[in-house]
Structures are given as structure tokens and as C-alpha cells.
Amino acid sequence: MTAKRNILVTGGLGFIGSHTVLCLNEAGYNPIIIDNLHNSKIEVLDALEELLGYRPVFVQGDVNDEALINGLFVTHSPEAVIHFAAHKAVGESVDNPLMYYQNNVVGLITLLAAMKAQDCSKMVFSSSCTVYGEPETVPVKESTPTRPAASPYGATKQMAEVILKDNNWCEVQCLRYFNPVGAHPTAKIGELPLGVPNNLIPYLTQTVAGIREKLTVYGGDYHTADGTCIRDYIHVMDLAEAHVAAIDRLFTSQRIQKVLEGDPSTDAFEVFNIGTGVGYSVLEVINAFEKATGERVNYSVGNRRAGDVVAVWADTEKVNQVLGWSAKRDLATMMKDAWNWQKNC
Ligand code: UFG
């Protein structure tokens, strides 16, 4: 039996990271988790152990800790890295930009330096549809020009993409996530927002659970069919599976060899939209939740939220064809799984 490939998963106890750990295991990889527990809980490791049937390797620490990261590479010799570890709250990034640049940009550089030193040249990177800003046309393609970032958070994702493109010794699958929602079907892992949630689905499920009084729909006067903003919501399990497809591609495409041989037609950096290709308005999401769960959502339409784009959803042709991945779970499943997770919290 050949040994499983070790994959370093930074931020592996977070929302998307923890689901990806399960999918990596399912696909025959051995996930090695590093997480600083800044926005996650150690209980997630217990849940992963239960779901995996073994306790995965876990190191509590920070990607900014150079000695720790170097040590991880020496001890575990990961053949690729999935880099989730980053701060992700738009408002917080406006209040504390230094923290965002330190963690999201300096942390990436520290990680890349360790990878280079240890000859690890494969990475899957968590980017975001936020790099498109308010697009002129929808759906957005990977070739759609990016717009100046509206927040330090968005700027860190754009900077990270530039850094990864320039370091063309490293083969990168850059995944631009749309709006990840839902939870594992067992409801043993899911999203754990700290404090008052900023995002729609955790706020909605907490409202239905009685933790919040009422959901405010941010703006009902946009130029959309029902006046509310449109997003491409994607089930976190579909998103996790996209990471496995990206890892598989890193081990099969031979792209980095072609780049190192000087093939001008090959780029070490590839970017993919990870969405369903379908946009839903906030009111459509609320209706889908009520229909899928039989619960009523207490909401009212309020003012617009500063910084919201009106409508964005993904063109998924490239990811479907090149990566061979497409989202399988519908909005009703996303809502059901999010609600089951909330009830289990
Ligand atoms: N919304 C509400 N009420 C809420 C929360 C959200 O109506 O209480 C609406 C928002 O106005 C928006 C939609 O629900 O129309 C989705 O909002 P989220 O906060 O859940 O997600 P965003 O679309 O704002 O987030 C996306 C990406 C992030 C990225 C951000 C940057 O998912 O990764 O854009 O703008 F950081």
C-alpha cells in the first residue's frame, strides 16, 4: 500500500477547513492541521475525530510563527498546502487593518518561505469573490477585471493573489469563493461565528433559534427583481470538494514542470470561481429557508448596509471544464443543513 500524501491544512478547524479535512480523508489524503483557534474551537477536532474515526494530526499555532511552520514542514513533509488561515470579517478589517495585513499577507509570505525552503511547491489558496467588487456584468468570469478593494480584507485577498502569481515556482490553485453556507449533513460541524454574526445565514438561523430577535434585510430598494441583493450561495460540502479537485489537479497536471522547463503557454497560477452559477436574492433565501425547514423567519426590510454590492454570481464554465468540479447541493439542502447545525449548537 502506498503512503497517503500529507496535505498541510492551515486553518483546518475553521468552517471551510474542517469540512475540507473530511473530504481530503475521503479522497485518500492525510490532512495535517494547523490552527491558532482565533476563530475556531478545539471541540471541532473532537467532532472531526468522531467523523474520521481517528484523531487527525493537529498543531495549535499561527502561520506567522516561522519556527513552528518550518518545524511542521520538517516533521510532516507535506506535499501540498491548503491555506485557509486568514481573518475574514470586512468590518473588523476596517477597524484593525494592521491585523489583517499581518495575518493575511505576512502569514502567507512566511508560509511560502517555508514551502520554498522545503521544496513544497503546491498550494490551494482561499480567495474570495470580493476581488470582483461591484462587477459591471454578471455572472463574473475569472477574466472579469478585479476592482479596487472596498476594505482591507478585500485588499489582502488581492495582494495575496499578486504575491502568489509572482512566486511562479509555486503551483497555485486560487479558489475565489462565493458565499459559503450550510454544514456537514451530520450537523457535527458547521459555521461557528464568534459574537453577533455578520453574515446572512448564521444571523438568520440564530434568529429562528431565538438567539437574535429579528433579521434585518439590508435594503429593499436595489435594482433587482424584489429589491434585495443577489449572491451565489454555495454549500460548504461542495466547496470542500472543490478543494480536493484542486489538490488532485496539482498532482496530475504537471503544470509546474512545464513552467520550470520554460513553457510560455503554461502559468503556475490558476484561478477558479467556486460558486453554483445561480444567484438568489435575500428574500428568496428567506423563502427557501422557510420552505425547507417549516420554520418562520422573523424579519423586516431595513436600510442598505454600507459596502454591499448589488448582485454577484459566478460563471462556472472554467471550473466545470478545467477542474471537472460542479456544485451538487441546492439551496434547500443548504438551508436544511444550516438549520440542523444551528439546532445542534
Ligand atoms: N444580509 C442581510 N442581513 C444580514 C446579513 C446579510 O440582509 O443580517 C444580506 C447582505 O446585505 C447581502 C447578503 O445578505 O446582500 C449576503 O451577505 P453576507 O454578509 O452573508 O455575505 P457578503 O455577500 O457580504 O460576503 C461576501 C463574501 C465574503 C466577502 C464579502 C465582501 O462571502 O467573503 O462579500 O464584501 F468578505
PDB file of all heavy atoms in Angstrom, residues 88 90 128-130 151 153 177-180 197-201 203 215-219 222 228-231 233 282 305 307-310, ligand 1:
ATOM      1  N   LYS A  88     -11.338  37.167   8.248  1.00  0.00           N
ATOM      2  CA  LYS A  88     -12.311  37.282   7.141  1.00  0.00           C
ATOM      3  C   LYS A  88     -13.477  38.228   7.388  1.00  0.00           C
ATOM      4  O   LYS A  88     -14.463  38.196   6.647  1.00  0.00           O
ATOM      5  CB  LYS A  88     -12.837  35.898   6.793  1.00  0.00           C
ATOM      6  CG  LYS A  88     -13.523  35.210   7.965  1.00  0.00           C
ATOM      7  CD  LYS A  88     -14.228  33.944   7.561  1.00  0.00           C
ATOM      8  CE  LYS A  88     -15.006  33.401   8.739  1.00  0.00           C
ATOM      9  NZ  LYS A  88     -15.743  32.191   8.480  1.00  0.00           N
ATOM     10  N   VAL A  90     -15.111  41.740   7.184  1.00  0.00           N
ATOM     11  CA  VAL A  90     -14.897  43.006   6.481  1.00  0.00           C
ATOM     12  C   VAL A  90     -14.828  44.192   7.452  1.00  0.00           C
ATOM     13  O   VAL A  90     -13.897  44.989   7.419  1.00  0.00           O
ATOM     14  CB  VAL A  90     -16.022  43.211   5.436  1.00  0.00           C
ATOM     15  CG1 VAL A  90     -15.927  44.576   4.790  1.00  0.00           C
ATOM     16  CG2 VAL A  90     -15.968  42.114   4.390  1.00  0.00           C
ATOM     17  N   SER A 128     -11.522  35.084  -2.720  1.00  0.00           N
ATOM     18  CA  SER A 128     -12.917  35.462  -2.492  1.00  0.00           C
ATOM     19  C   SER A 128     -13.462  36.220  -3.685  1.00  0.00           C
ATOM     20  O   SER A 128     -12.716  36.946  -4.369  1.00  0.00           O
ATOM     21  CB  SER A 128     -12.971  36.344  -1.247  1.00  0.00           C
ATOM     22  OG  SER A 128     -14.196  37.013  -1.171  1.00  0.00           O
ATOM     23  N   CYS A 129     -14.762  36.087  -3.889  1.00  0.00           N
ATOM     24  CA  CYS A 129     -15.399  36.857  -4.957  1.00  0.00           C
ATOM     25  C   CYS A 129     -15.358  38.346  -4.653  1.00  0.00           C
ATOM     26  O   CYS A 129     -15.685  39.161  -5.513  1.00  0.00           O
ATOM     27  CB  CYS A 129     -16.836  36.395  -5.167  1.00  0.00           C
ATOM     28  SG  CYS A 129     -17.927  36.788  -3.795  1.00  0.00           S
ATOM     29  N   THR A 130     -14.944  38.686  -3.457  1.00  0.00           N
ATOM     30  CA  THR A 130     -14.829  40.103  -3.096  1.00  0.00           C
ATOM     31  C   THR A 130     -13.824  40.820  -4.010  1.00  0.00           C
ATOM     32  O   THR A 130     -13.904  42.034  -4.183  1.00  0.00           O
ATOM     33  CB  THR A 130     -14.449  40.237  -1.592  1.00  0.00           C
ATOM     34  OG1 THR A 130     -14.628  41.584  -1.198  1.00  0.00           O
ATOM     35  CG2 THR A 130     -13.030  39.846  -1.309  1.00  0.00           C
ATOM     36  N   SER A 151     -12.336  47.151   1.169  1.00  0.00           N
ATOM     37  CA  SER A 151     -11.950  47.017   2.585  1.00  0.00           C
ATOM     38  C   SER A 151     -10.540  46.448   2.643  1.00  0.00           C
ATOM     39  O   SER A 151     -10.077  45.803   1.689  1.00  0.00           O
ATOM     40  CB  SER A 151     -12.902  46.050   3.295  1.00  0.00           C
ATOM     41  OG  SER A 151     -12.691  44.735   2.817  1.00  0.00           O
ATOM     42  N   TYR A 153      -9.723  43.855   4.193  1.00  0.00           N
ATOM     43  CA  TYR A 153      -9.879  42.411   3.980  1.00  0.00           C
ATOM     44  C   TYR A 153      -9.776  42.090   2.485  1.00  0.00           C
ATOM     45  O   TYR A 153      -9.003  41.220   2.063  1.00  0.00           O
ATOM     46  CB  TYR A 153     -11.220  41.914   4.542  1.00  0.00           C
ATOM     47  CG  TYR A 153     -11.613  40.569   3.985  1.00  0.00           C
ATOM     48  CD1 TYR A 153     -10.974  39.412   4.422  1.00  0.00           C
ATOM     49  CD2 TYR A 153     -12.596  40.446   2.995  1.00  0.00           C
ATOM     50  CE1 TYR A 153     -11.299  38.175   3.882  1.00  0.00           C
ATOM     51  CE2 TYR A 153     -12.926  39.228   2.451  1.00  0.00           C
ATOM     52  CZ  TYR A 153     -12.276  38.093   2.899  1.00  0.00           C
ATOM     53  OH  TYR A 153     -12.600  36.875   2.346  1.00  0.00           O
ATOM     54  N   TYR A 177     -14.024  31.994  -3.664  1.00  0.00           N
ATOM     55  CA  TYR A 177     -15.297  31.503  -3.109  1.00  0.00           C
ATOM     56  C   TYR A 177     -16.386  32.555  -3.276  1.00  0.00           C
ATOM     57  O   TYR A 177     -16.160  33.733  -3.031  1.00  0.00           O
ATOM     58  CB  TYR A 177     -15.211  31.250  -1.597  1.00  0.00           C
ATOM     59  CG  TYR A 177     -14.068  30.414  -1.105  1.00  0.00           C
ATOM     60  CD1 TYR A 177     -13.615  30.592   0.205  1.00  0.00           C
ATOM     61  CD2 TYR A 177     -13.451  29.460  -1.883  1.00  0.00           C
ATOM     62  CE1 TYR A 177     -12.583  29.834   0.717  1.00  0.00           C
ATOM     63  CE2 TYR A 177     -12.411  28.697  -1.379  1.00  0.00           C
ATOM     64  CZ  TYR A 177     -11.975  28.891  -0.092  1.00  0.00           C
ATOM     65  OH  TYR A 177     -10.949  28.147   0.413  1.00  0.00           O
ATOM     66  N   PHE A 178     -17.585  32.072  -3.534  1.00  0.00           N
ATOM     67  CA  PHE A 178     -18.742  32.960  -3.460  1.00  0.00           C
ATOM     68  C   PHE A 178     -19.254  32.871  -2.009  1.00  0.00           C
ATOM     69  O   PHE A 178     -18.470  33.006  -1.106  1.00  0.00           O
ATOM     70  CB  PHE A 178     -19.711  32.658  -4.611  1.00  0.00           C
ATOM     71  CG  PHE A 178     -19.158  33.285  -5.881  1.00  0.00           C
ATOM     72  CD1 PHE A 178     -17.991  32.786  -6.470  1.00  0.00           C
ATOM     73  CD2 PHE A 178     -19.707  34.430  -6.416  1.00  0.00           C
ATOM     74  CE1 PHE A 178     -17.404  33.419  -7.567  1.00  0.00           C
ATOM     75  CE2 PHE A 178     -19.130  35.067  -7.520  1.00  0.00           C
ATOM     76  CZ  PHE A 178     -17.977  34.553  -8.088  1.00  0.00           C
ATOM     77  N   ASN A 179     -20.531  32.657  -1.751  1.00  0.00           N
ATOM     78  CA  ASN A 179     -20.985  32.738  -0.356  1.00  0.00           C
ATOM     79  C   ASN A 179     -21.181  31.352   0.264  1.00  0.00           C
ATOM     80  O   ASN A 179     -22.231  30.726   0.047  1.00  0.00           O
ATOM     81  CB  ASN A 179     -22.292  33.532  -0.281  1.00  0.00           C
ATOM     82  CG  ASN A 179     -22.069  35.017  -0.512  1.00  0.00           C
ATOM     83  OD1 ASN A 179     -21.436  35.403  -1.484  1.00  0.00           O
ATOM     84  ND2 ASN A 179     -22.574  35.844   0.374  1.00  0.00           N
ATOM     85  N   PRO A 180     -20.207  30.874   1.046  1.00  0.00           N
ATOM     86  CA  PRO A 180     -20.320  29.528   1.617  1.00  0.00           C
ATOM     87  C   PRO A 180     -21.344  29.478   2.753  1.00  0.00           C
ATOM     88  O   PRO A 180     -21.309  30.308   3.667  1.00  0.00           O
ATOM     89  CB  PRO A 180     -18.921  29.254   2.192  1.00  0.00           C
ATOM     90  CG  PRO A 180     -18.074  30.422   1.825  1.00  0.00           C
ATOM     91  CD  PRO A 180     -18.963  31.540   1.445  1.00  0.00           C
ATOM     92  N   PRO A 197     -23.304  37.452  14.499  1.00  0.00           N
ATOM     93  CA  PRO A 197     -22.873  37.142  13.128  1.00  0.00           C
ATOM     94  C   PRO A 197     -23.038  38.332  12.186  1.00  0.00           C
ATOM     95  O   PRO A 197     -23.980  39.109  12.326  1.00  0.00           O
ATOM     96  CB  PRO A 197     -23.815  36.017  12.706  1.00  0.00           C
ATOM     97  CG  PRO A 197     -24.546  35.579  13.912  1.00  0.00           C
ATOM     98  CD  PRO A 197     -24.478  36.679  14.906  1.00  0.00           C
ATOM     99  N   ASN A 198     -22.116  38.436  11.235  1.00  0.00           N
ATOM    100  CA  ASN A 198     -22.227  39.463  10.189  1.00  0.00           C
ATOM    101  C   ASN A 198     -22.953  38.914   8.977  1.00  0.00           C
ATOM    102  O   ASN A 198     -23.587  39.646   8.240  1.00  0.00           O
ATOM    103  CB  ASN A 198     -20.831  39.881   9.702  1.00  0.00           C
ATOM    104  CG  ASN A 198     -20.087  40.659  10.753  1.00  0.00           C
ATOM    105  OD1 ASN A 198     -20.602  41.640  11.268  1.00  0.00           O
ATOM    106  ND2 ASN A 198     -18.883  40.207  11.077  1.00  0.00           N
ATOM    107  N   ASN A 199     -22.818  37.614   8.780  1.00  0.00           N
ATOM    108  CA  ASN A 199     -23.317  37.022   7.532  1.00  0.00           C
ATOM    109  C   ASN A 199     -24.773  36.598   7.643  1.00  0.00           C
ATOM    110  O   ASN A 199     -25.285  36.325   8.726  1.00  0.00           O
ATOM    111  CB  ASN A 199     -22.442  35.837   7.122  1.00  0.00           C
ATOM    112  CG  ASN A 199     -21.023  36.261   6.813  1.00  0.00           C
ATOM    113  OD1 ASN A 199     -20.106  35.936   7.544  1.00  0.00           O
ATOM    114  ND2 ASN A 199     -20.842  37.020   5.763  1.00  0.00           N
ATOM    115  N   LEU A 200     -25.401  36.538   6.475  1.00  0.00           N
ATOM    116  CA  LEU A 200     -26.849  36.320   6.423  1.00  0.00           C
ATOM    117  C   LEU A 200     -27.302  35.012   7.095  1.00  0.00           C
ATOM    118  O   LEU A 200     -28.196  35.037   7.949  1.00  0.00           O
ATOM    119  CB  LEU A 200     -27.297  36.333   4.949  1.00  0.00           C
ATOM    120  CG  LEU A 200     -28.776  36.029   4.700  1.00  0.00           C
ATOM    121  CD1 LEU A 200     -29.662  37.084   5.357  1.00  0.00           C
ATOM    122  CD2 LEU A 200     -29.065  35.944   3.205  1.00  0.00           C
ATOM    123  N   ILE A 201     -26.712  33.887   6.709  1.00  0.00           N
ATOM    124  CA  ILE A 201     -27.267  32.603   7.155  1.00  0.00           C
ATOM    125  C   ILE A 201     -27.124  32.395   8.670  1.00  0.00           C
ATOM    126  O   ILE A 201     -28.097  32.042   9.341  1.00  0.00           O
ATOM    127  CB  ILE A 201     -26.696  31.428   6.328  1.00  0.00           C
ATOM    128  CG1 ILE A 201     -27.035  31.628   4.845  1.00  0.00           C
ATOM    129  CG2 ILE A 201     -27.222  30.080   6.843  1.00  0.00           C
ATOM    130  CD1 ILE A 201     -28.520  31.799   4.528  1.00  0.00           C
ATOM    131  N   TYR A 203     -26.943  34.641  10.914  1.00  0.00           N
ATOM    132  CA  TYR A 203     -27.866  35.583  11.586  1.00  0.00           C
ATOM    133  C   TYR A 203     -29.301  35.053  11.493  1.00  0.00           C
ATOM    134  O   TYR A 203     -30.057  35.077  12.475  1.00  0.00           O
ATOM    135  CB  TYR A 203     -27.769  36.997  10.984  1.00  0.00           C
ATOM    136  CG  TYR A 203     -28.189  38.051  11.975  1.00  0.00           C
ATOM    137  CD1 TYR A 203     -27.260  38.845  12.629  1.00  0.00           C
ATOM    138  CD2 TYR A 203     -29.554  38.213  12.314  1.00  0.00           C
ATOM    139  CE1 TYR A 203     -27.644  39.778  13.579  1.00  0.00           C
ATOM    140  CE2 TYR A 203     -29.945  39.135  13.262  1.00  0.00           C
ATOM    141  CZ  TYR A 203     -28.992  39.919  13.888  1.00  0.00           C
ATOM    142  OH  TYR A 203     -29.375  40.839  14.843  1.00  0.00           O
ATOM    143  N   LEU A 215     -34.220  39.397  12.073  1.00  0.00           N
ATOM    144  CA  LEU A 215     -33.257  39.569  10.982  1.00  0.00           C
ATOM    145  C   LEU A 215     -33.608  40.839  10.224  1.00  0.00           C
ATOM    146  O   LEU A 215     -34.771  41.050   9.864  1.00  0.00           O
ATOM    147  CB  LEU A 215     -33.338  38.358  10.034  1.00  0.00           C
ATOM    148  CG  LEU A 215     -32.546  38.470   8.731  1.00  0.00           C
ATOM    149  CD1 LEU A 215     -31.042  38.357   8.992  1.00  0.00           C
ATOM    150  CD2 LEU A 215     -32.990  37.397   7.749  1.00  0.00           C
ATOM    151  N   THR A 216     -32.608  41.676   9.993  1.00  0.00           N
ATOM    152  CA  THR A 216     -32.837  42.840   9.147  1.00  0.00           C
ATOM    153  C   THR A 216     -32.337  42.530   7.748  1.00  0.00           C
ATOM    154  O   THR A 216     -31.185  42.119   7.576  1.00  0.00           O
ATOM    155  CB  THR A 216     -32.065  44.075   9.690  1.00  0.00           C
ATOM    156  OG1 THR A 216     -32.497  44.308  11.030  1.00  0.00           O
ATOM    157  CG2 THR A 216     -32.325  45.314   8.851  1.00  0.00           C
ATOM    158  N   VAL A 217     -33.202  42.697   6.779  1.00  0.00           N
ATOM    159  CA  VAL A 217     -32.786  42.565   5.377  1.00  0.00           C
ATOM    160  C   VAL A 217     -32.205  43.912   4.988  1.00  0.00           C
ATOM    161  O   VAL A 217     -32.905  44.940   5.045  1.00  0.00           O
ATOM    162  CB  VAL A 217     -33.985  42.184   4.476  1.00  0.00           C
ATOM    163  CG1 VAL A 217     -33.582  42.199   3.013  1.00  0.00           C
ATOM    164  CG2 VAL A 217     -34.552  40.832   4.889  1.00  0.00           C
ATOM    165  N   TYR A 218     -30.934  43.899   4.593  1.00  0.00           N
ATOM    166  CA  TYR A 218     -30.259  45.170   4.331  1.00  0.00           C
ATOM    167  C   TYR A 218     -30.611  45.731   2.952  1.00  0.00           C
ATOM    168  O   TYR A 218     -29.938  45.468   1.975  1.00  0.00           O
ATOM    169  CB  TYR A 218     -28.743  44.994   4.455  1.00  0.00           C
ATOM    170  CG  TYR A 218     -28.266  44.677   5.854  1.00  0.00           C
ATOM    171  CD1 TYR A 218     -27.287  43.717   6.081  1.00  0.00           C
ATOM    172  CD2 TYR A 218     -28.782  45.352   6.960  1.00  0.00           C
ATOM    173  CE1 TYR A 218     -26.833  43.434   7.362  1.00  0.00           C
ATOM    174  CE2 TYR A 218     -28.341  45.067   8.245  1.00  0.00           C
ATOM    175  CZ  TYR A 218     -27.373  44.110   8.433  1.00  0.00           C
ATOM    176  OH  TYR A 218     -26.929  43.826   9.701  1.00  0.00           O
ATOM    177  N   GLY A 219     -31.662  46.510   2.901  1.00  0.00           N
ATOM    178  CA  GLY A 219     -32.037  47.215   1.684  1.00  0.00           C
ATOM    179  C   GLY A 219     -33.066  46.463   0.854  1.00  0.00           C
ATOM    180  O   GLY A 219     -32.873  45.294   0.529  1.00  0.00           O
ATOM    181  N   TYR A 222     -32.982  47.986  -4.067  1.00  0.00           N
ATOM    182  CA  TYR A 222     -31.958  47.790  -5.112  1.00  0.00           C
ATOM    183  C   TYR A 222     -32.624  47.497  -6.445  1.00  0.00           C
ATOM    184  O   TYR A 222     -33.794  47.074  -6.487  1.00  0.00           O
ATOM    185  CB  TYR A 222     -31.040  46.618  -4.734  1.00  0.00           C
ATOM    186  CG  TYR A 222     -30.058  46.926  -3.622  1.00  0.00           C
ATOM    187  CD1 TYR A 222     -30.289  46.484  -2.315  1.00  0.00           C
ATOM    188  CD2 TYR A 222     -28.889  47.641  -3.876  1.00  0.00           C
ATOM    189  CE1 TYR A 222     -29.384  46.739  -1.294  1.00  0.00           C
ATOM    190  CE2 TYR A 222     -27.970  47.904  -2.855  1.00  0.00           C
ATOM    191  CZ  TYR A 222     -28.226  47.456  -1.573  1.00  0.00           C
ATOM    192  OH  TYR A 222     -27.327  47.715  -0.566  1.00  0.00           O
ATOM    193  N   THR A 228     -33.918  43.246  -3.307  1.00  0.00           N
ATOM    194  CA  THR A 228     -32.850  42.868  -2.363  1.00  0.00           C
ATOM    195  C   THR A 228     -31.627  42.324  -3.127  1.00  0.00           C
ATOM    196  O   THR A 228     -31.737  41.919  -4.290  1.00  0.00           O
ATOM    197  CB  THR A 228     -33.354  41.824  -1.331  1.00  0.00           C
ATOM    198  OG1 THR A 228     -33.701  40.601  -1.986  1.00  0.00           O
ATOM    199  CG2 THR A 228     -34.572  42.355  -0.573  1.00  0.00           C
ATOM    200  N   CYS A 229     -30.479  42.324  -2.453  1.00  0.00           N
ATOM    201  CA  CYS A 229     -29.205  41.956  -3.097  1.00  0.00           C
ATOM    202  C   CYS A 229     -29.161  40.484  -3.496  1.00  0.00           C
ATOM    203  O   CYS A 229     -29.784  39.637  -2.845  1.00  0.00           O
ATOM    204  CB  CYS A 229     -28.044  42.201  -2.140  1.00  0.00           C
ATOM    205  SG  CYS A 229     -27.746  43.921  -1.800  1.00  0.00           S
ATOM    206  N   ILE A 230     -28.386  40.219  -4.510  1.00  0.00           N
ATOM    207  CA  ILE A 230     -28.278  38.849  -5.033  1.00  0.00           C
ATOM    208  C   ILE A 230     -26.852  38.312  -4.848  1.00  0.00           C
ATOM    209  O   ILE A 230     -25.870  39.009  -5.117  1.00  0.00           O
ATOM    210  CB  ILE A 230     -28.668  38.828  -6.527  1.00  0.00           C
ATOM    211  CG1 ILE A 230     -30.140  39.239  -6.661  1.00  0.00           C
ATOM    212  CG2 ILE A 230     -28.418  37.454  -7.142  1.00  0.00           C
ATOM    213  CD1 ILE A 230     -30.613  39.402  -8.077  1.00  0.00           C
ATOM    214  N   ARG A 231     -26.777  37.061  -4.355  1.00  0.00           N
ATOM    215  CA  ARG A 231     -25.485  36.394  -4.138  1.00  0.00           C
ATOM    216  C   ARG A 231     -25.565  34.952  -4.645  1.00  0.00           C
ATOM    217  O   ARG A 231     -26.658  34.386  -4.774  1.00  0.00           O
ATOM    218  CB  ARG A 231     -25.147  36.330  -2.630  1.00  0.00           C
ATOM    219  CG  ARG A 231     -24.956  37.671  -1.959  1.00  0.00           C
ATOM    220  CD  ARG A 231     -23.641  38.329  -2.369  1.00  0.00           C
ATOM    221  NE  ARG A 231     -23.442  39.579  -1.650  1.00  0.00           N
ATOM    222  CZ  ARG A 231     -23.953  40.753  -2.023  1.00  0.00           C
ATOM    223  NH1 ARG A 231     -24.700  40.834  -3.114  1.00  0.00           N
ATOM    224  NH2 ARG A 231     -23.711  41.841  -1.310  1.00  0.00           N
ATOM    225  N   TYR A 233     -24.918  31.559  -3.346  1.00  0.00           N
ATOM    226  CA  TYR A 233     -24.695  30.784  -2.119  1.00  0.00           C
ATOM    227  C   TYR A 233     -24.271  29.368  -2.496  1.00  0.00           C
ATOM    228  O   TYR A 233     -24.886  28.749  -3.367  1.00  0.00           O
ATOM    229  CB  TYR A 233     -25.971  30.760  -1.264  1.00  0.00           C
ATOM    230  CG  TYR A 233     -26.358  32.148  -0.806  1.00  0.00           C
ATOM    231  CD1 TYR A 233     -27.223  32.947  -1.550  1.00  0.00           C
ATOM    232  CD2 TYR A 233     -25.799  32.690   0.358  1.00  0.00           C
ATOM    233  CE1 TYR A 233     -27.544  34.240  -1.153  1.00  0.00           C
ATOM    234  CE2 TYR A 233     -26.119  33.984   0.769  1.00  0.00           C
ATOM    235  CZ  TYR A 233     -26.992  34.745   0.003  1.00  0.00           C
ATOM    236  OH  TYR A 233     -27.292  36.029   0.386  1.00  0.00           O
ATOM    237  N   VAL A 282     -31.898  38.033  -1.212  1.00  0.00           N
ATOM    238  CA  VAL A 282     -32.039  37.780   0.231  1.00  0.00           C
ATOM    239  C   VAL A 282     -33.451  37.246   0.526  1.00  0.00           C
ATOM    240  O   VAL A 282     -33.612  36.288   1.295  1.00  0.00           O
ATOM    241  CB  VAL A 282     -31.754  39.063   1.054  1.00  0.00           C
ATOM    242  CG1 VAL A 282     -31.924  38.799   2.540  1.00  0.00           C
ATOM    243  CG2 VAL A 282     -30.350  39.592   0.760  1.00  0.00           C
ATOM    244  N   ARG A 305     -26.813  48.166   3.740  1.00  0.00           N
ATOM    245  CA  ARG A 305     -25.575  48.060   4.510  1.00  0.00           C
ATOM    246  C   ARG A 305     -24.447  48.657   3.663  1.00  0.00           C
ATOM    247  O   ARG A 305     -24.307  48.298   2.489  1.00  0.00           O
ATOM    248  CB  ARG A 305     -25.287  46.586   4.811  1.00  0.00           C
ATOM    249  CG  ARG A 305     -24.005  46.330   5.562  1.00  0.00           C
ATOM    250  CD  ARG A 305     -23.879  44.876   6.001  1.00  0.00           C
ATOM    251  NE  ARG A 305     -23.642  43.959   4.896  1.00  0.00           N
ATOM    252  CZ  ARG A 305     -23.393  42.658   5.045  1.00  0.00           C
ATOM    253  NH1 ARG A 305     -23.381  42.113   6.258  1.00  0.00           N
ATOM    254  NH2 ARG A 305     -23.178  41.883   3.994  1.00  0.00           N
ATOM    255  N   GLY A 307     -21.222  49.263   1.731  1.00  0.00           N
ATOM    256  CA  GLY A 307     -20.222  48.365   1.142  1.00  0.00           C
ATOM    257  C   GLY A 307     -20.792  47.143   0.436  1.00  0.00           C
ATOM    258  O   GLY A 307     -20.042  46.398  -0.187  1.00  0.00           O
ATOM    259  N   ASP A 308     -22.120  46.918   0.525  1.00  0.00           N
ATOM    260  CA  ASP A 308     -22.689  45.748  -0.153  1.00  0.00           C
ATOM    261  C   ASP A 308     -22.721  45.959  -1.667  1.00  0.00           C
ATOM    262  O   ASP A 308     -23.138  47.022  -2.134  1.00  0.00           O
ATOM    263  CB  ASP A 308     -24.137  45.498   0.325  1.00  0.00           C
ATOM    264  CG  ASP A 308     -24.212  44.507   1.471  1.00  0.00           C
ATOM    265  OD1 ASP A 308     -23.251  43.741   1.656  1.00  0.00           O
ATOM    266  OD2 ASP A 308     -25.237  44.505   2.182  1.00  0.00           O
ATOM    267  N   VAL A 309     -22.307  44.952  -2.425  1.00  0.00           N
ATOM    268  CA  VAL A 309     -22.516  45.009  -3.865  1.00  0.00           C
ATOM    269  C   VAL A 309     -23.957  44.573  -4.135  1.00  0.00           C
ATOM    270  O   VAL A 309     -24.560  43.872  -3.319  1.00  0.00           O
ATOM    271  CB  VAL A 309     -21.497  44.147  -4.652  1.00  0.00           C
ATOM    272  CG1 VAL A 309     -20.074  44.534  -4.325  1.00  0.00           C
ATOM    273  CG2 VAL A 309     -21.699  42.666  -4.414  1.00  0.00           C
ATOM    274  N   VAL A 310     -24.502  45.013  -5.274  1.00  0.00           N
ATOM    275  CA  VAL A 310     -25.919  44.742  -5.540  1.00  0.00           C
ATOM    276  C   VAL A 310     -26.118  43.265  -5.920  1.00  0.00           C
ATOM    277  O   VAL A 310     -26.950  42.573  -5.326  1.00  0.00           O
ATOM    278  CB  VAL A 310     -26.442  45.643  -6.691  1.00  0.00           C
ATOM    279  CG1 VAL A 310     -27.924  45.372  -6.936  1.00  0.00           C
ATOM    280  CG2 VAL A 310     -26.175  47.097  -6.401  1.00  0.00           C
TER     281      VAL A 310
HETATM  282  N1  UFG B   1     -27.654  40.421   4.704  1.00  0.00           N
HETATM  283  C1  UFG B   1     -28.818  40.858   5.267  1.00  0.00           C
HETATM  284  N2  UFG B   1     -28.918  40.826   6.618  1.00  0.00           N
HETATM  285  C2  UFG B   1     -27.925  40.376   7.422  1.00  0.00           C
HETATM  286  C3  UFG B   1     -26.730  39.917   6.832  1.00  0.00           C
HETATM  287  C4  UFG B   1     -26.634  39.965   5.461  1.00  0.00           C
HETATM  288  O1  UFG B   1     -29.745  41.266   4.579  1.00  0.00           O
HETATM  289  O2  UFG B   1     -28.088  40.397   8.659  1.00  0.00           O
HETATM  290  C5  UFG B   1     -27.531  40.428   3.247  1.00  0.00           C
HETATM  291  C6  UFG B   1     -26.400  41.287   2.736  1.00  0.00           C
HETATM  292  O3  UFG B   1     -26.795  42.622   2.595  1.00  0.00           O
HETATM  293  C7  UFG B   1     -26.087  40.598   1.400  1.00  0.00           C
HETATM  294  C8  UFG B   1     -26.418  39.139   1.662  1.00  0.00           C
HETATM  295  O4  UFG B   1     -27.254  39.122   2.809  1.00  0.00           O
HETATM  296  O5  UFG B   1     -26.954  41.068   0.429  1.00  0.00           O
HETATM  297  C9  UFG B   1     -25.191  38.307   1.956  1.00  0.00           C
HETATM  298  O6  UFG B   1     -24.436  38.939   2.964  1.00  0.00           O
HETATM  299  P1  UFG B   1     -23.287  38.206   3.762  1.00  0.00           P
HETATM  300  O7  UFG B   1     -22.805  39.142   4.824  1.00  0.00           O
HETATM  301  O8  UFG B   1     -23.748  36.859   4.201  1.00  0.00           O
HETATM  302  O9  UFG B   1     -22.171  37.958   2.672  1.00  0.00           O
HETATM  303  P2  UFG B   1     -21.450  39.005   1.677  1.00  0.00           P
HETATM  304  O10 UFG B   1     -22.058  38.822   0.327  1.00  0.00           O
HETATM  305  O11 UFG B   1     -21.397  40.350   2.243  1.00  0.00           O
HETATM  306  O12 UFG B   1     -19.992  38.374   1.691  1.00  0.00           O
HETATM  307  C10 UFG B   1     -19.211  38.315   0.552  1.00  0.00           C
HETATM  308  C11 UFG B   1     -18.217  37.171   0.694  1.00  0.00           C
HETATM  309  C12 UFG B   1     -17.189  37.478   1.745  1.00  0.00           C
HETATM  310  C13 UFG B   1     -16.602  38.824   1.494  1.00  0.00           C
HETATM  311  C14 UFG B   1     -17.638  39.890   1.351  1.00  0.00           C
HETATM  312  C15 UFG B   1     -17.004  41.187   0.956  1.00  0.00           C
HETATM  313  O13 UFG B   1     -18.890  35.979   1.055  1.00  0.00           O
HETATM  314  O14 UFG B   1     -16.164  36.512   1.703  1.00  0.00           O
HETATM  315  O15 UFG B   1     -18.571  39.534   0.351  1.00  0.00           O
HETATM  316  O16 UFG B   1     -17.913  42.173   0.674  1.00  0.00           O
HETATM  317  F1  UFG B   1     -15.814  39.166   2.538  1.00  0.00           F
END
